[in-house]
Amino acid sequence: MAKSDQTWGITPPISIALPTPAETKSTHLLLEELRRQNTFESVTETKKRERVLADLQRMADEFVKRVAREKEPQNEVLIRDARGEVFTYGSYCLGVYGPGSDIDTLVTAPRYVTRDDYFKYFPSLLQEMAPEGAVTDLTVVEDAFVPIIKFEYWGISIDLIFSRIATLKQFPPHGQLNLTNNEYLRGLDDRELRSLNGTRVTKEILNLVPEQSTFRLALRAIKLWAQRRAIYANIIGFPGGVVWAMMVARVCQLYPKAASATIVTKFFQIMKVWQWPIPVQLKHMDDGPLNVRVWNPKIYKSDSYHLMPVITPAYPQMCATFNITHSTMTIIQRELERGAELTDKIRAGKLAWNDLFVKHTFFTTDHKYYLAVIATSTTKEAHKIWSGFVESKVRVLVGDLERVASVAIARPFNKGYERQHRVKNDQETQEVQNGSLAYLARDDENESEVKKENGVEIKTEVKTESNPEVMAENGDPMSLSIKSDPEDQKAKVEDIPDVSSLGTKVYTSTHYVGLELAEGARSLDLSYQVNAFKAMCSQWEKYEASLNYLSIQHVKNTNLPDDVFEPGEVKPTRPLRKVAANGTPAPVGQKKRNASSEVNPPPAKRPQPLQTSAAAAG
């Protein structure tokens, strides 16, 4: 059967119509807009990536040879033919990478090469075989969920993982090893299976779409849209790159001959009305050679709790969206509905494609109340580990918050903000730990870095204010309280080292969670949820009280720091004071008659560790 005539996916196509002239023109306009949005990399930069991968392949071959010499020094044939194989996965493998994208890379080796060998030899090989100065920021994480070596090579971020192929003692010539063969999964442990999974899933996605060029252009558009709308981050509870790829691929299967612009339009039309929890699947479930768990909500109760299941096509099939919460699902559905409205107008010629890619308004207009989850460390090395762990658990806090009756939605922002501070004493350290930005390192020291969308860094003066009360939606004051467990607070205070051991630099990563209050909410006490989250994080086996700290603060929209806003964005401001009948300005927070009297007192100017009694005018 010809590829163009086969049935794609698990159902027949909705339409096999060829593109109309208008749809072809719209696709050209979409391509032009994506180029204007700088989503394509230059030929020079792409060639640079190819050279990096060629270098990694040389290192992989040398790595396997060294292990062969150590383990079987008399086996000349084994040593002579010893080789590894480097694969990519993620955006590079899919062909949708852009400027600044990292390269997700997998090193595979024959069965006699172990993960311990990988971490013993490969980091030093990188330094030895790479050109001088090419490798920077080398970090080895052996006990991660997927063990990894992270580094930059000529300025390109590389995530390098490893798996052996236990069924092969010698690899075929380069380019002939096909990882989609399920037999190569035999004899592997869970970490090796997870390492192979990225490449296997990516290859399967490409094999399961009718036209790869159509798929790639449509996926570039959806990825840009999701990034601009701040709904792109698997670790936080939104779909990641592979999930958006599978969703776009499913639409391509339903419209196998459509143009990319049509796929984008149909993506929103179909996904906004998708009957979750019916899963998005690109193929029927495979039987494989292993006695391992595959996604099946009829057998496994936990699988039935997945809200928006998108199932990976490679055996063993898994749900790639288990992180999605009720709040993030609601935000995704809102954005899909918005996207459907916009693409309908684009198709009708009433709007242009750039209207689809307008930036989110998370900080400017979406919320009045936020929680700031602040992970603090006293060394750069400790902060990489601690901040990464806290980031991976933010979705747990979100899940707890959205179960509070007064909270309608707890929406996490999809990126964290990295800051560095210089402090002179213990008091300043405590202020930084509890959210103060008064001691940011100077810009000319090149020590302040903020994770911004599309690689943009904004460094501005930060102003802080104290605010007496939180205002409800109707303008009446409401109470918002976050109180620390006294025992928890006592333990933490004792653990804070003095400035002599701290040095002068403190590192923070801040994740913001926007709160939408339930209708009629008059007070909000999040003490239990906040303290439970802190306790969970502090019980992590790698937590060190002398190095790590966690604070959760309430921040109102008018008190958000300047560095979360990009040039041209309008920071929320206090409402104008009302004029009383006698002509004098009335206090902003003045209560209406019969309004609730439950209001928190103003917070202290210098917050104490592990405590936020937040009240802000709204």
Side-chain angles (χ1 to χ4, degrees):
M1 181 185 295
K3 186 173 182 179
S4 59
D5 296 330
Q6 74 180 76
T7 296
W8 299 90
I10 61 176
T11 61
I14 294 174
S15 172
I16 57 172
L18 293 170
T20 65
E23 290 168 341
T24 300
K25 180 180 179 181
S26 184
T27 297
H28 290 317
L29 293 174
L30 174 61
L31 175 60
E32 291 175 3
E33 181 58 35
L34 290 175
R35 292 193 184 281
R36 279 194 293 270
Q37 297 277 358
N38 195 34
T39 65
F40 290 91
E41 191 173 67
S42 69
V43 174
T44 301
E45 288 300 311
T46 297
K47 292 292 185 184
K48 183 178 175 182
R49 290 180 185 272
E50 293 170 357
R51 292 197 301 272
V52 169
L53 289 171
D55 283 356
L56 292 178
Q57 181 61 67
R58 286 192 301 105
M59 295 176 194
D61 290 342
E62 177 59 24
F63 159 58
V64 176
K65 284 184 183 295
R66 291 191 183 185
V67 176
R69 289 191 195 102
E70 177 188 303
K71 296 188 174 182
E72 299 194 33
Q74 306 304 318
N75 193 335
E76 295 181 2
V77 174
L78 181 74
I79 296 170
R80 182 196 67 198
D81 295 335
R83 64 175 68 90
E85 191 76 32
V86 171
F87 296 90
T88 61
Y89 59 100
S91 62
Y92 184 83
C93 185
L94 287 170
V96 292
Y97 57 93
S101 296
D102 60 5
I103 306 179
D104 297 315
T105 315
L106 165 69
V107 173
T108 57
R111 64 172 178 244
Y112 57 85
V113 182
T114 67
R115 186 164 52 245
D116 288 340
D117 295 327
Y118 174 66
F119 286 106
K120 174 183 176 181
Y121 285 104
F122 219 94
S124 58
L125 264 176
L126 283 167
Q127 302 285 11
E128 174 187 330
M129 296 184 65
E132 184 177 356
V135 174
T136 58
D137 294 336
L138 181 65
T139 304
V140 177
V141 190
E142 293 188 50
D143 53 358
F145 188 68
V146 178
I148 191 169
I149 300 174
K150 302 170 73 73
F151 57 96
E152 291 203 356
Y153 198 115
W154 286 333
I156 299 172
S157 294
I158 307 292
D159 288 349
L160 196 65
I161 60 178
F162 170 80
S163 178
R164 66 196 172 96
I165 305 298
T167 57
L168 295 177
K169 189 169 183 178
Q170 202 72 288
F171 274 9
H174 290 312
Q176 296 184 20
L177 183 63
N178 180 14
L179 291 186
T180 58
N181 184 343
N182 288 346
E183 291 300 312
Y184 291 149
L185 301 178
R186 291 185 183 275
L188 304 183
D189 63 25
D190 288 344
R191 288 183 172 184
E192 289 168 329
L193 286 172
R194 288 193 289 266
S195 293
L196 285 182
N197 192 54
T199 296
R200 285 168 52 82
V201 168
T202 306
K203 295 290 188 184
E204 283 278 35
I205 292 171
L206 291 173
N207 291 335
L208 291 168
V209 294
E211 295 292 339
Q212 291 186 8
S213 60
T214 299
F215 163 73
R216 286 184 171 119
L217 184 58
L219 180 55
R220 282 185 181 272
I222 295 303
K223 279 169 60 78
L224 179 61
W225 162 79
Q227 290 165 346
R228 291 287 170 83
R229 303 306 297 172
I231 54 172
Y232 187 107
N234 176 65
I235 196 170
I236 293 295
F238 291 105
V242 69
V243 173
W244 292 118
M246 289 187 285
M247 293 170 71
V248 172
R250 184 67 186 116
V251 178
C252 289
Q253 292 178 336
L254 296 172
Y255 297 89
K257 297 184 179 181
S260 296
T262 304
I263 296 298
V264 172
T265 300
K266 296 297 185 183
F267 172 87
F268 290 108
Q269 292 177 351
I270 290 173
M271 292 302 164
K272 80 168 185 175
V273 296
W274 193 272
Q275 298 301 299
W276 308 105
I278 294 174
V280 171
Q281 290 178 265
L282 299 181
K283 59 186 285 191
H284 292 289
M285 305 293 274
D286 284 338
D287 291 327
L290 308 180
N291 183 23
V292 296
R293 172 174 171 168
V294 298
W295 187 82
N296 189 334
K298 295 180 180 179
I299 297 177
Y300 304 109
K301 183 67 174 178
S302 59
D303 288 350
S304 67
Y305 297 141
H306 296 155
L307 301 176
M308 300 179 69
V310 179
I311 310 305
T312 57
Y315 174 86
Q317 293 87 353
M318 294 176 276
C319 178
T321 49
F322 66 92
N323 279 357
I324 289 178
T325 70
H326 288 281
S327 290
T328 55
M329 180 179 181
T330 299
I331 297 301
I332 293 165
Q333 290 176 318
R334 287 180 187 174
E335 291 296 340
L336 289 170
E337 291 172 1
R338 172 186 174 275
E341 293 176 2
L342 291 174
T343 49
D344 281 346
K345 293 178 180 179
I346 291 169
R347 184 177 57 178
K350 298 178 181 178
L351 292 175
W353 279 110
N354 67 316
D355 292 300
L356 180 64
F357 307 123
V358 170
K359 184 175 177 281
H360 65 85
T361 52
F362 179 86
F363 293 111
T364 53
T365 62
D366 286 356
H367 305 281
K368 290 186 177 181
Y369 320 118
Y370 300 82
L371 292 184
V373 181
I374 308 164
T376 307
S377 302
T378 57
T379 70
K380 186 175 183 180
E381 294 72 21
H383 192 61
K384 285 182 180 180
I385 299 171
W386 175 237
S387 64
F389 172 76
V390 172
E391 179 182 40
S392 72
K393 299 302 180 183
V394 167
R395 64 185 176 85
V396 177
L397 175 63
V398 169
D400 289 342
L401 293 174
E402 63 190 14
R403 286 188 283 272
V404 176
S406 298
V407 176
I409 288 177
R411 177 184 180 179
F413 190 59
N414 67 329
K415 297 177 185 293
Y417 285 81
E418 305 290 338
R419 303 180 177 107
Q420 296 182 21
H421 315 256
R422 285 200 174 275
V423 295
K424 296 178 181 178
N425 53 52
D426 186 63
Q427 180 64 48
E428 292 179 357
T429 300
Q430 292 185 21
E431 291 179 40
V432 168
Q433 289 171 332
N434 288 283
S436 172
L437 301 183
Y439 310 105
L440 285 173
R442 296 195 314 270
D443 292 348
D444 57 10
E445 294 181 82
N446 195 28
E447 293 180 337
S448 179
E449 178 184 355
V450 179
K451 292 181 181 177
K452 301 295 288 186
E453 293 154 289
N454 303 314
V456 179
E457 285 188 13
I458 309 299
K459 297 176 179 177
T460 54
E461 180 184 0
V462 177
K463 300 177 181 178
T464 59
E465 303 174 3
S466 60
N467 300 283
E469 54 193 17
V470 175
M471 303 297 289
E473 298 293 338
N474 63 3
D476 293 342
M478 66 167 290
S479 169
L480 190 151
S481 178
I482 303 174
K483 301 175 182 178
S484 295
D485 184 325
E487 291 300 317
D488 183 40
Q489 180 179 351
K490 178 181 178 182
K492 295 290 185 179
V493 171
E494 293 172 351
D495 286 335
I496 296 173
D498 60 30
V499 72
S500 61
S501 62
L502 277 175
T504 59
K505 194 179 295 183
V506 176
Y507 302 83
T508 61
S509 297
T510 303
H511 287 272
Y512 293 93
V513 180
L515 300 177
E516 290 185 22
L517 304 183
E519 185 176 356
R522 305 299 306 155
S523 64
L524 184 60
D525 185 352
L526 304 178
S527 303
Y528 177 82
Q529 290 74 23
V530 165
N531 287 320
F533 182 72
K534 289 179 183 176
M536 178 192 69
C537 292
S538 65
Q539 290 167 7
W540 184 42
E541 60 182 9
K542 291 191 174 182
Y543 169 78
E544 294 186 42
S546 62
L547 296 175
N548 309 132
Y549 192 89
L550 180 62
S551 173
I552 300 179
Q553 304 289 328
H554 168 255
V555 183
K556 75 168 210 172
N557 58 351
T558 56
N559 268 4
L560 286 167
D562 291 348
D563 62 4
V564 304
F565 301 97
E566 293 188 5
E569 291 184 333
V570 178
K571 181 177 179 178
T573 57
R574 291 172 175 269
L576 296 175
R577 292 177 177 269
K578 298 177 182 179
V579 177
N582 61 5
T584 61
V588 176
Q590 188 176 32
K591 293 188 297 180
K592 292 184 178 180
R593 183 174 297 176
N594 297 327
S596 169
S597 60
E598 184 183 17
V599 181
N600 283 337
K605 291 184 178 180
R606 294 184 183 274
Q608 297 303 307
L610 293 178
Q611 183 172 340
T612 303
S613 179

